[in-house]
């Protein structure tokens, strides 16, 4: 069972526990798709620049072509967060009076220090890419940060949407009161900048949610290795994705030991691995599963990546 079917999706996420092979698999998958004629954007959210290492070249925050029909970019969460704060401040400046702005800035600075901000900023950038770059690319592949994190990101549109809806309601109620005292017209209510900004944001999140929960467009590939802790985390991730309504395109079981190894160490290692592989087959029987064997070397460079591509989606037909 290969992931070949996923090559026709519009958005594919790769996620999993740290160090299991997310970056390797997402790069190999993106490369395979581009070699089959699709225009692909590979997006990395990894601050360690692993994607750049694999392709043996610098990538950075702007889209660069790294192979025919394959472009890549790196999103830096901290830089996005800073940019995000700047934009929010600018918006506020347009909307409010000087005294309100001063108080608001205090709030913003506090928010800037909160741990969730980087995630919100990443989400914003992802939305931008998914919504705005779909005309240019047939497929966007996300190499995501370790599981919990990313899943929260995918669940976020829902949470934020509810929150924004509450804010909109609140704002509308305020405008109602205004109308009573100052005879504000409907047109003025419509032109309310706060309401406008909230509603635009709500629309974008709704759009994102529609795309990521559309099984014919978006899939999430779980990557793991045959080890106890990874299996448990993968099971939790699978459950969360199912809850969120995101299609699980498959489970990659990476670093499976070759069969022909000799010696007591490997025999015992392989025996343990076999029980985990069986467990994976049993517990994830409903998912498409792909095994990648442990290669003799780290994976970098196009030819080495192509070996992983073949494991994931089969060799190119041409
Ligand atoms: N099948 C494999 N055989 C041999 N080496 C592999 C295999 N898969 C991945 N590797 C190597 O394992 C290391 C970790 O892989 P990778 O960077 O893809 O993991 P990751 O899940 O993205 O890690 P992180 O959570 O740190 O982002 C890399 O050096 C990679 O070359
Ligand atoms: Mg990585």
């Amino acid at each position: 069972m290969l992931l070949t079917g996923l090559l026709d999706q519009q958005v594919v996420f790769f996620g999993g526990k740290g160090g299991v092979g997310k970056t390797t698999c997402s790069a190999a998958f993106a490369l395979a798709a581009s070699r089959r004629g699709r225009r692909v954007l590979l997006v990395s959210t990894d601050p360690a620049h692993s994607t750049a290492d694999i392709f043996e070249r610098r990538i950075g925050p702007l889209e660069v072509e790294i192979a025919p029909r394959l472009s890549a970019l790196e999103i830096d969460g901290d830089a996005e967060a800073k940019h995000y704060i700047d934009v929010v401040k600018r918006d506020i400046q347009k909307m409010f009076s000087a005294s309100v702005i001063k108080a608001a800035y205090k709030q913003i600075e506090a928010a800037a220090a909160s741990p969730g901000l980087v995630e919100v900023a990443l989400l914003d950038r992802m939305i931008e890419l998914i919504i705005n770059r779909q005309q240019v690319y047939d497929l966007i592949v996300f190499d995501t940060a370790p599981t919990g994190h990313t899943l929260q990101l995918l669940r976020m549109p829902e949470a934020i949407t509810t929150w924004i809806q509450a804010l909109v309601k609140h704002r509308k109620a305020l405008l109602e009161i205004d109308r009573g005292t100052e005879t504000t017209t409907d047109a003025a209510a419509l032109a309310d900048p706060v309401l406008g900004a909230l509603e635009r944001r709500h629309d974008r999140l709704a759009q994102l949610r529609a795309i990521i929960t559309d099984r014919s467009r978006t899939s999430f590939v779980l990557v793991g290795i045959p080890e106890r802790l990874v299996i448990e985390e993968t099971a939790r991730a699978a459950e969360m994705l199912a809850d969120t309504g995101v299609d699980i395109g498959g489970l990659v079981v990476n670093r499976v030991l070759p069969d022909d190894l000799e010696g007591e160490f490997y025999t015992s290692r392989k025996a343990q691995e076999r029980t985990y592989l069986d467990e994976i087959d049993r517990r994830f029987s409903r998912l498409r599963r792909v095994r990648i064997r442990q290669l003799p070397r780290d994976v970098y460079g196009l030819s080495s990546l192509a070996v992983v591509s073949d494991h994931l989606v089969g060799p190119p037909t041409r």
Side-chain angles (χ1 to χ4, degrees):
M1 284 202 289
L2 299 173
L3 303 183
T4 322
L6 301 184
L7 292 169
D8 295 324
Q9 292 290 66
Q10 289 171 15
V11 182
V12 177
F13 292 92
F14 282 82
K17 211 165 157 46
V20 294
K22 300 175 294 293
T23 302
T24 307
C25 289
S26 54
F29 180 80
L31 182 68
S34 69
R35 288 192 165 165
R36 282 162 173 78
R38 306 206 80 208
R39 292 166 303 167
V40 185
L41 177 65
L42 174 61
V43 182
S44 156
T45 55
D46 182 354
H49 307 290
S50 307
T51 309
D53 291 342
I54 289 186
F55 287 98
E56 302 178 298
R57 56 161 299 157
R58 272 180 64 92
I59 294 180
L62 301 175
E63 291 161 36
V64 284
E65 194 170 52
I66 55 175
R69 288 180 300 276
L70 174 60
S71 296
L73 68 88
E74 295 170 338
I75 308 181
D76 172 345
D78 292 332
E80 289 306 326
K82 197 181 162 300
H83 174 72
Y84 186 80
I85 290 290
D86 290 345
V87 170
V88 173
K89 279 185 173 169
R90 210 183 53 211
D91 284 353
I92 285 182
Q93 235 160 12
K94 279 187 273 179
M95 288 179 197
F96 299 102
S97 63
S99 60
V100 177
I101 289 173
K102 212 170 153 209
Y105 273 20
K106 272 213 182 106
Q107 297 270 340
I108 294 169
E109 300 296 345
S114 73
L117 181 76
V118 171
E119 278 72 42
V120 175
L122 277 177
L123 182 70
D124 228 48
R125 184 83 169 99
M126 275 167 50
I127 295 178
E128 194 187 312
L129 289 169
I130 291 178
I131 295 176
N132 298 344
R133 303 305 285 159
Q134 286 224 314
Q135 284 80 36
V136 183
Y137 298 102
D138 303 313
L139 167 68
I140 304 184
V141 178
F142 285 96
D143 167 22
T144 66
T147 343
H149 219 68
T150 314
L151 292 178
Q152 275 165 15
L153 222 59
L154 291 185
R155 287 163 81 91
M156 225 183 249
E158 203 175 9
I160 299 185
T161 299
T162 322
W163 181 69
I164 290 181
Q165 268 166 351
L167 285 179
V168 167
K169 219 171 126 192
H170 186 75
R171 184 72 191 171
K172 279 192 173 149
L174 271 181
L175 288 174
E176 286 292 326
I177 296 168
D178 268 1
R179 199 171 307 170
T181 54
E182 287 177 26
T183 64
T184 321
T185 62
D186 272 350
L190 279 176
D192 176 55
V194 178
L195 207 49
L198 285 174
E199 279 175 345
R200 265 195 307 283
R201 197 158 191 101
H202 182 258
D203 286 349
R204 275 161 62 86
L205 285 165
Q207 248 178 300
L208 176 73
R209 183 152 174 80
I211 294 173
I212 64 175
T213 55
D214 181 346
R215 310 172 82 80
S216 68
R217 295 167 80 177
T218 302
S219 295
F220 195 104
V221 176
L222 290 165
V223 184
I225 51 175
E227 283 180 13
R228 158 121 327 255
L229 294 179
V230 177
I231 294 175
E232 297 307 330
E233 182 156 333
T234 307
R236 280 194 294 273
E239 211 169 290
M240 233 191 196
L241 284 167
D243 272 3
T244 315
V246 178
D247 172 59
I248 307 175
L251 167 60
V252 177
V253 184
N254 192 16
R255 291 179 162 257
V256 176
L257 293 172
D259 289 322
D260 51 5
L261 294 174
E262 285 174 10
E264 203 181 317
F265 176 80
Y266 280 116
T267 324
S268 124
R269 194 80 222 172
K270 192 71 198 167
Q272 176 185 293
E273 184 188 88
R274 202 159 294 126
T275 65
Y276 288 144
L277 288 173
D278 288 346
E279 184 179 344
I280 289 171
D281 283 341
R282 217 175 41 245
R283 287 176 68 176
F284 302 97
S285 59
R286 275 188 292 183
L287 297 185
R288 205 183 279 126
R289 277 152 285 126
V290 185
R291 288 182 187 177
I292 302 181
R293 75 186 153 83
Q294 170 81 43
L295 299 169
R297 292 195 163 71
D298 288 356
V299 185
Y300 55 87
L302 292 184
S303 57
S304 162
L305 264 185
V307 175
V308 179
S309 299
D310 292 353
H311 271 83
L312 287 176
V313 299
T317 39
R318 276 180 291 129

